[in-house]
Amino acid sequence: MQAFFIHATEVGDLTRIFLTKLEAMHVKAEPLLERIFKRKPKVKTGYEVIHNRLAIANEDEFLSNKINLLRIFEEALRTGMLIHPDAMRLVKINLDLIDDDMRNTPEARRIFLDLMLKHGNPERALRRMNELGVLAAFIPEFEHIVAMMQFNMYHSYTVDEHTIQCIANLAMIEHEELEEKLPVASSILEQGVNRKVLYVAMLLHDIGKGRPEDHSILGAQITTRKVAPRLGLKQEDVDTVEWLVRYHLLMSDMAQKRDIADPRTVRDFAKAVKTVERLGLLCVLTVCDIRGVGPDTWNNWKAVLIRALYRQTENALENGMEALNRENRGAEAKKALRSALHDWPRKDLQAETARHYDPYWQGLHLTAHVVFAGLLRNMTNDERSRRICTPMKTATQRGACFVMHDHPGIFARLTRVLWRLWAPMLSMHAATQPKTAL
């Protein structure tokens, strides 16, 4: 499959060059007034615009400086233009110019990092560099994962494409371009993080895949010994990138495989993370990593788990591990509910706060506590009675709340209610989807 994807990319490049040549042969001259008044994009010396694409003015002069093999991608992002296929062909047949001397040049490091950090569209630059082989030439350790297929039920993309998708998600969260709200990740980025560390870690988090060793451990070794120092990162930043690559699956595993209502889970995670800064970086990386796996991988269930784990761990790191005490967490939850339901009679509030067992107060968000309190208020003792609140949508919580008296067959009744509520909507949604021919 890796060989197939590589050859498919070659076919795509040849097709692009061929179609551009045909376009140039048949293009018509623009009307006179349009040629006079149309604003032409300004490009730096050494480049020209051919059919609204960035082209190289003089090939020999371009190749006289190896760093120009990176500069052209920076100029393309700066001007917002596509790179002319002739220029792409020239870059691709001269990849041997990207050697150790060029990689260790401060200007080359600056350009590469700026492509991710400064021009607002790192996905476009990295994808074009990857297709032309420049990314693997500049970071030789990246070559092993180019077009590498991942044979499991989760990943929809090859490893290199998954990495680019992760960086694309990070950029969209930063620039608030996602339709879906990600309150925790967005707030972490708004408060300020070391963007260089975050983007480099995102680029390298799967670089160890495809080998017998644990890809997280191997990726951390590759990062700290080779790639991060070569990119000119300070030792402190190298250590943070190494830690993020080594533990990039930790938060996802903790949230989805362990009980986050158990203080021991949060305590163990907090001991591994150690600082709020690393917690924020790991949370954003985790969100982008999951979203980059496939178009439907990120869902509300994962969002709620990661959000809850982040907030509990942040509280523990800021206020001490004693904040994880079950009694303290339960007391704080009840206090928050009393504040939210300040207009309730004292008797009703006392009945609600005395009603539930400890894990209820520790495992659910205040939003759910308020909804359940409203459903349970004045509910009769008739076991057939039930109340439903659907949907529950806030900035942090989504879902439906159900209240029933315990009785034999409760799950069967609940399933029937769910089917009656959502089956018509699911059928309507399915009917609007395009049919796929097999």
Side-chain angles (χ1 to χ4, degrees), residues 370-432:
V370 171
V371 173
F372 277 121
L375 294 175
L376 289 166
R377 191 179 187 186
N378 300 323
M379 189 172 181
T380 67
N381 291 325
D382 182 1
E383 72 169 18
R384 293 175 300 173
S385 63
R386 63 176 182 267
R387 293 183 178 179
I388 303 169
C389 173
T390 178
M392 177 179 64
K393 291 184 178 180
T394 69
T396 59
Q397 299 288 314
R398 292 185 181 183
C401 296
F402 300 83
V403 170
M404 292 182 181
H405 286 286
D406 193 15
H407 63 276
I410 186 172
F411 287 111
R413 291 186 64 193
L414 183 58
T415 303
R416 185 166 66 249
V417 171
L418 285 170
W419 176 253
R420 288 179 178 176
L421 283 173
W422 280 290
M425 289 185 286
L426 291 174
S427 299
M428 185 180 300
H429 175 73
T432 59

Side-chain angles (χ1 to χ4, degrees), residues 324-384:
L324 297 177
N325 182 278
R326 288 181 182 271
E327 289 74 16
N328 290 343
R329 292 169 65 190
E332 288 296 323
K334 292 178 183 180
K335 181 179 178 181
L337 181 64
R338 293 190 190 98
S339 177
L341 302 179
H342 59 87
D343 56 339
W344 277 35
R346 181 183 181 87
K347 180 179 178 181
D348 291 348
L349 274 176
Q350 289 177 339
E352 179 60 27
T353 53
R355 187 194 306 273
H356 305 285
Y357 44 86
D358 290 340
Y360 171 85
W361 298 106
Q362 298 155 10
L364 293 178
H365 190 267
L366 173 62
T367 307
H369 290 160
V370 171
V371 173
F372 277 121
L375 294 175
L376 289 166
R377 191 179 187 186
N378 300 323
M379 189 172 181
T380 67
N381 291 325
D382 182 1
E383 72 169 18
R384 293 175 300 173

Side-chain angles (χ1 to χ4, degrees), residues 172-420:
M172 286 189 288
I173 295 172
E174 272 196 304
H175 299 107
E176 299 180 350
E177 295 174 352
L178 291 175
E179 294 182 3
E180 179 184 3
K181 299 297 182 182
L182 300 173
V184 171
S186 298
S187 65
I188 292 170
L189 294 174
E190 288 172 2
Q191 291 167 10
V193 297
N194 189 327
R195 297 178 66 246
K196 184 187 296 185
V197 164
L198 185 56
Y199 272 93
V200 172
M202 197 76 69
L203 178 69
L204 303 178
H205 77 281
D206 276 345
I207 204 166
K209 280 194 171 180
R211 298 176 174 89
E213 302 92 332
D214 184 318
H215 81 279
S216 298
I217 298 175
L218 181 60
Q221 294 172 352
I222 293 173
T223 297
T224 187
R225 296 174 185 174
K226 298 179 180 180
V227 184
R230 192 191 305 139
L231 291 176
L233 271 65
K234 300 177 182 177
Q235 186 57 48
E236 181 182 357
D237 293 344
V238 171
D239 294 340
T240 304
V241 172
E242 177 195 10
W243 185 88
L244 288 170
V245 174
R246 171 66 181 85
Y247 295 104
H248 72 272
L249 296 176
L250 178 63
M251 191 171 196
S252 176
D253 288 344
M254 281 283 192
Q256 298 181 61
K257 298 178 182 179
R258 293 183 59 175
D259 180 11
I260 60 175
D262 187 344
R264 289 175 296 181
T265 299
V266 182
R267 186 179 293 111
D268 292 345
F269 184 58
K271 288 180 179 179
V273 174
K274 295 183 180 178
T275 67
V276 175
E277 178 187 6
R278 281 188 173 182
L279 173 64
L281 291 169
L282 181 59
C283 182
V284 175
L285 191 151
T286 302
V287 171
C288 295
D289 191 16
I290 296 175
R291 293 181 64 89
V293 167
D296 300 318
T297 307
W298 179 259
N299 54 44
N300 185 57
W301 173 69
K302 294 176 183 177
V304 169
L305 291 177
I306 290 174
R307 189 181 301 130
L309 180 58
Y310 172 82
R311 286 180 171 150
Q312 293 180 52
T313 308
E314 181 186 36
N315 182 38
L317 292 172
E318 290 180 342
N319 302 316
M321 293 297 180
E322 61 274 7
L324 297 177
N325 182 278
R326 288 181 182 271
E327 289 74 16
N328 290 343
R329 292 169 65 190
E332 288 296 323
K334 292 178 183 180
K335 181 179 178 181
L337 181 64
R338 293 190 190 98
S339 177
L341 302 179
H342 59 87
D343 56 339
W344 277 35
R346 181 183 181 87
K347 180 179 178 181
D348 291 348
L349 274 176
Q350 289 177 339
E352 179 60 27
T353 53
R355 187 194 306 273
H356 305 285
Y357 44 86
D358 290 340
Y360 171 85
W361 298 106
Q362 298 155 10
L364 293 178
H365 190 267
L366 173 62
T367 307
H369 290 160
V370 171
V371 173
F372 277 121
L375 294 175
L376 289 166
R377 191 179 187 186
N378 300 323
M379 189 172 181
T380 67
N381 291 325
D382 182 1
E383 72 169 18
R384 293 175 300 173
S385 63
R386 63 176 182 267
R387 293 183 178 179
I388 303 169
C389 173
T390 178
M392 177 179 64
K393 291 184 178 180
T394 69
T396 59
Q397 299 288 314
R398 292 185 181 183
C401 296
F402 300 83
V403 170
M404 292 182 181
H405 286 286
D406 193 15
H407 63 276
I410 186 172
F411 287 111
R413 291 186 64 193
L414 183 58
T415 303
R416 185 166 66 249
V417 171
L418 285 170
W419 176 253
R420 288 179 178 176

Side-chain angles (χ1 to χ4, degrees), residues 119-148:
H119 298 285
N121 195 354
E123 175 192 7
R124 181 176 171 185
L126 291 175
R127 177 166 285 110
R128 180 61 67 222
M129 291 172 69
N130 189 40
E131 291 174 352
L132 297 180
V134 175
L135 187 55
F138 189 73
I139 303 179
E141 297 79 7
F142 197 85
E143 184 176 7
H144 184 73
I145 63 172
V146 172
M148 177 184 288

